[in-house]
Amino acid sequence: MATEQFIHHRNRTLGNDKGTLILVGGFLLRTIIVVVSLVLFATGCNPQANQQSNQQSNQQAKTQSAAEDPLCKPTPVRFFDKEQKAKSITEQVNGIDKAVAVHIDKELDVAIQVSNFNRFRLKEIEKEVGEKLKIAFPDSSIHVTSDKKLIDELQKLSDTSWSNKEEAACKQKKKLKQIEKDMKG
């Protein structure tokens, strides 16, 4: 009988005779370990909160420094009439299906879309467009590309309404500069 009581007692608790909280099979111990592990995992593996606060502070620093940026002094100006003229000159070149132009300050960026067999003459077409635009806009710095990704980015920039506010204009000019940098490879 004493051994049956000991076995019965042993199935419920493990440890000293006073009755510890650790049940046989470690159910309570396993539960505690799982909960602690989940808490550590949830707090230790979540760097997104820190990244978001860092991104917000970086964004604030960028907007504050936009006014001080020499690229943005004086406030950038966009020339819609010159963009339309550049677009029409570009579309007159044989083999071009679509053209997008953005002219901010003295920077004229043109993206062309060429399809089918005209792609074999792509370098010639880009050169011809560049020469015609240099004649039409001698005081502008001209950049021509046929990269599909840059065509899309330039189209988005072209479709964006222009703001005379210095911060917004500076942001768009910086975006144009990034596109120019990507054009050069």
Side-chain angles (χ1 to χ4, degrees), residues 93-95 117-126 128:
V93 174
N94 190 23
F117 291 107
N118 293 319
R119 297 214 46 90
F120 294 121
R121 301 183 325 113
L122 189 60
K123 293 296 176 191
E124 294 173 31
I125 292 172
E126 285 181 359
E128 184 180 348

Side-chain angles (χ1 to χ4, degrees), residues 43 45-56:
T43 58
C45 296
N46 192 2
Q48 292 177 348
N50 292 337
Q51 288 178 350
Q52 288 175 349
S53 64
N54 287 342
Q55 288 174 350
Q56 288 173 349

Side-chain angles (χ1 to χ4, degrees), residues 11 16 19 26 36 45 54 73 81 95 99 144 150 157 168 183:
N11 284 337
N16 60 16
V36 169
C45 296
N54 287 342
K73 293 288 182 184
D81 55 333
V144 180
L150 296 176
L157 185 61
M183 282 182 186

